[in-house]
Each structure stands twice: as C-alpha cells, then as structure tokens.
Amino acid sequence: MNTTQKMAGTALAAALGMTALTACGGDAGDKDGAATGGTGSKTVTLVSHDSFNASEAILKEFEKQTGYTVKVVKSGDAGAALNQEILTKGKPRGDVFFGVDNTLLSRALDNGIFTPYEAKGLAGVESQYHLDKEHRVTPVDSGDVCVNYDKKYFADKKLAPPQTLDDLVKPEYKNLLVTENAATSSPGLGFLLATVGKYGEDGWKDYWSKLEANGVEVVDGWEQAYNERFSGSAGGKKAGGDRPLVVSYASSPPVEVLYGDPQPAEAPTGVSTGTCFRQIEFAGLLKGAGNEAGGKALIDFMIGRGFQEDMPLNMFVNPVVKDAKLPEIFTKHGVVIEKPETVAPDTIAKNREQWVRAWSSLVVK
C-alpha cells in the first residue's frame, strides 16, 4: 500500500533477525505461482505489492486452521503489481491478489480480473469499507495519508502546527511543507486526492496555486520527503532536513516511536488531522485461480481477528474489522482520523490522469 509499510516491514524483519515470510513466502522472481496452487494443492499463492508483510506466527496459524501453506509472490508497487495481473488475466500467477486500493480499484474491476466471492466474516467489516457490492474484492485494511509535523520545531517557534488544508496556505506556514510528486508517489497522489475531496473539481487547482505560492516543495518520492527533507524524522534529522511539515501517514508517529533508538516516551512527530485522505486496501480471488478453495480460505482468514490484529505492527495499517484491537503503541502514539477526505473510486478512475497532468503543470517546475 505505502512506503511507510515498506520501511517498517523491512525494519521489523531486521529487528527480529529474519527475512519477512521466510517460512511461507515467495518472491517476485517466482513465475509459477498459480501452477503450484493447482487443484488439490495445499499451497495457496498470494500475489501482492512489495509492502505486504505478515508475521510467521500468523501464517503458521492459517496453515494450522486450514491445512494450506501460503506462498507470496511480490511484484513491485501496487500499480505495477496490478498491471501484471491485468496482463495475465485468466491465467493468473496466483490465487489471491492483495494490495489494490481505492485509487486503483475501478481499473481492477473494469478489467475483470476477479471472481466474485462473499467472504465469511464480511459482516464484521465496518460498512464504510464496503465499496464493491458485487464482492469482487474484500476490504482488508485502511490507512490515511496525512501531513505530519515536527513537534519540536513548532514548540521552539511557539507556533501552533497546522491542522487543516486551509491552514497550509496561511503565511505563517510559508516554505515549511514538503510533499511528493503525485505522478510518481502513492502518498503524493493521496494528498492531491485529499484536496480534490475537500475543494471539489472546481476548486482544487486554485488551492494548489495558493500552496505553490506559499512555498510548497515537491520531491519525487516518500523516502526523499520523509527521510531527507523532513526535520522531524530520525532520517531527516541525520540528513539535515529543514522542512517541519511533510506528507506521510497517520501511522508514521508510532513508527518513529517503535524504531527510535533509544525509544522515545512520546512520538516526536504529530499528525495534522484535517489534511488526510483515506486509503482502503482490498484482496480478491483471481479469475482462473488454480486453488480457488485455498484462495477463498485465505481471504476469509485475512478478515479474521487474528490476521487483522497482526497487521498494524507488520504493515502499519489499520484493521477494518469491528472487534479487532490495535496494539498499545498505536493507541498511545497514533491518532484516529474521524473525517478523512474521500473520492469515489469510479471518479478517481475517470479523472486521475488528467488531474495529475493538471497538477504537474501547476506545481512541478
């Protein structure tokens, strides 16, 4: 789903002294995923983006409950992974695809790569996440793209950090924000969509003109924005970053605490809660899956409480199941975004390319 997931998942694996999914996983170079999951097979193949991560214990629990072993085929970022499944439609590389989000959902559904399946336990998923009434995909997790701020900078300046999109264009926040290119970055696109959701198709361009006039800096991707230009992150401090505002995720403060050395008592960064765009990730049974029964069992498991409670510390995303509990580091150092901006998937699909082109002409010099 996002770069925070990739950073956190890699760091977590390193901290545990193991490679993520070594017991049950695969890699992007394995092209015979569907073949290994044929009729009667005890292997179910999950095709995903590179940020997928799950604990060895939870995958072993799935094997214990169902008799199936999970094989993971990772395929780059979410867009690249989806493109490969569209190209192999009907002859998929696996049984289940995980990682298509609401910014790409209509493209996946329009290309007909999924077999409808109403997962067991779907009634336990909160209604706000049900975007496909035909059950071609099942919601698995959510996360929010938000502006993060450097607490120390604003305390030292005795300046209240911005909390809304409107705040970001005020003169007191001039030359403070760094964001990612919407044409090359998932959080960059999410932030653009937040402004579309807030100001509408008739107002977002005017907003970005004001933001550009207020000194917003645009870089290629999240790694550069967060770990080089942002003054509040551990990486940014080392790199001498001088921008105290960055487009990242609502889950970034818990990451800073978990991987802090030494671990801080309080997150050094905060979240501007009125700047967020909600991303929802889905899993779907691939049309032509060699192991359809195993694929269905895996989707059922992914919206079960065990997998849902395993996700936050492995992929730094939020559960979508009503009774799933967040770990203490999330509840203590994270924030709940009550009213994120959203844009309908079909509206995104219809307008995404022209929005990005218009955005580039306004902001990228």
Side-chain angles (χ1 to χ4, degrees):
M1 178 182 180
N2 61 56
T3 317
T4 298
Q5 288 174 283
K6 186 181 294 184
M7 174 195 74
T10 302
L12 181 61
L16 295 175
M18 64 181 185
T19 300
L21 306 177
T22 49
C24 304
D27 58 47
D30 191 342
K31 302 300 183 183
D32 61 349
T36 62
T39 302
S41 172
K42 285 302 179 182
T43 298
V44 56
T45 302
L46 176 71
V47 182
S48 183
H49 50 53
D50 286 346
S51 298
F52 176 82
N53 193 29
S55 70
E56 185 176 0
I58 201 66
L59 293 177
K60 285 187 179 296
E61 180 61 27
F62 172 72
E63 183 177 0
K64 179 181 177 181
Q65 289 183 17
T66 67
Y68 294 110
T69 299
V70 179
K71 177 180 180 179
V72 180
V73 176
K74 296 186 178 183
S75 304
D77 64 26
L82 176 60
N83 286 342
Q84 290 188 59
E85 290 315 304
I86 290 172
L87 290 172
T88 57
K89 176 183 172 181
K91 295 182 179 179
R93 297 170 301 145
D95 306 302
V96 173
F97 182 84
F98 167 75
V100 60
D101 68 20
N102 47 317
T103 68
L104 297 169
L105 181 59
S106 288
R107 185 159 182 259
L109 298 183
D110 290 346
N111 277 279
I113 65 172
F114 297 120
T115 297
Y117 172 61
E118 186 169 353
K120 296 175 183 176
L122 190 60
V125 174
E126 295 187 33
S127 59
Q128 63 177 301
Y129 304 119
H130 292 253
L131 300 186
D132 178 33
K133 295 180 180 179
E134 297 180 37
H135 306 300
R136 290 162 292 182
V137 292
T138 300
V140 174
D141 68 67
S142 73
D144 297 295
V145 173
C146 304
V147 170
N148 284 202
Y149 59 85
D150 179 351
K151 290 181 178 178
K152 185 177 185 303
Y153 174 91
F154 287 97
D156 289 349
K157 297 291 184 180
K158 295 181 172 55
L159 176 65
Q163 288 300 328
T164 67
L165 291 171
D166 285 346
D167 287 343
L168 295 175
V169 298
K170 293 179 179 178
E172 55 264 43
Y173 305 113
K174 187 177 180 66
N175 298 328
L176 301 188
L177 175 66
V178 57
T179 188
E180 303 84 359
N181 192 320
T184 58
S185 164
S186 176
L189 176 60
F191 188 56
L192 168 58
L193 293 174
T195 66
V196 173
K198 172 69 174 177
Y199 302 107
E201 295 186 47
D202 295 328
W204 73 265
K205 293 178 188 177
D206 181 60
Y207 175 80
W208 275 95
S209 294
K210 293 176 182 178
L211 201 60
E212 198 276 334
N214 212 37
V216 64
E217 179 182 10
V218 178
V219 297
D220 286 340
W222 180 90
E223 183 70 31
Q224 184 181 359
Y226 192 83
N227 281 328
E228 295 180 21
R229 300 297 296 124
F230 179 45
S231 62
S233 70
K237 287 183 175 70
K238 292 179 181 178
D242 61 2
R243 293 267 166 163
L245 297 173
V246 65
V247 173
S248 190
Y249 295 89
S251 58
S252 296
V255 175
E256 289 291 335
V257 173
L258 184 62
Y259 297 116
D261 186 19
Q263 194 172 90
E266 179 183 335
T269 59
V271 175
S272 302
T273 57
T275 65
C276 304
F277 175 78
R278 173 71 43 88
Q279 290 182 319
I280 305 166
E281 275 191 308
F282 301 85
L285 183 66
L286 286 164
K287 188 172 290 185
N291 188 355
E292 189 170 295
K296 291 177 179 178
L298 180 58
I299 292 173
D300 293 344
F301 186 77
M302 292 176 80
I303 58 171
R305 184 168 175 174
F307 188 89
Q308 290 282 301
E309 292 184 352
D310 185 74
M311 292 189 307
L313 290 181
N314 283 287
M315 293 193 285
F316 284 84
V317 291
N318 295 312
V320 295
V321 172
K322 298 171 187 175
D323 62 352
K325 294 181 179 179
L326 285 168
E328 183 181 5
I329 200 165
F330 263 63
T331 57
K332 184 176 180 180
H333 301 288
V335 294
V336 176
I337 307 303
E338 299 288 354
K339 295 181 179 180
E341 298 297 337
T342 60
V343 181
D346 57 345
T347 302
I348 296 173
K350 180 181 178 181
N351 297 284
R352 180 176 54 242
E353 291 187 9
Q354 66 182 38
W355 285 342
V356 170
R357 284 197 299 269
W359 176 89
S360 297
S361 68
L362 283 169
V363 183
V364 179
K365 305 300 183 183

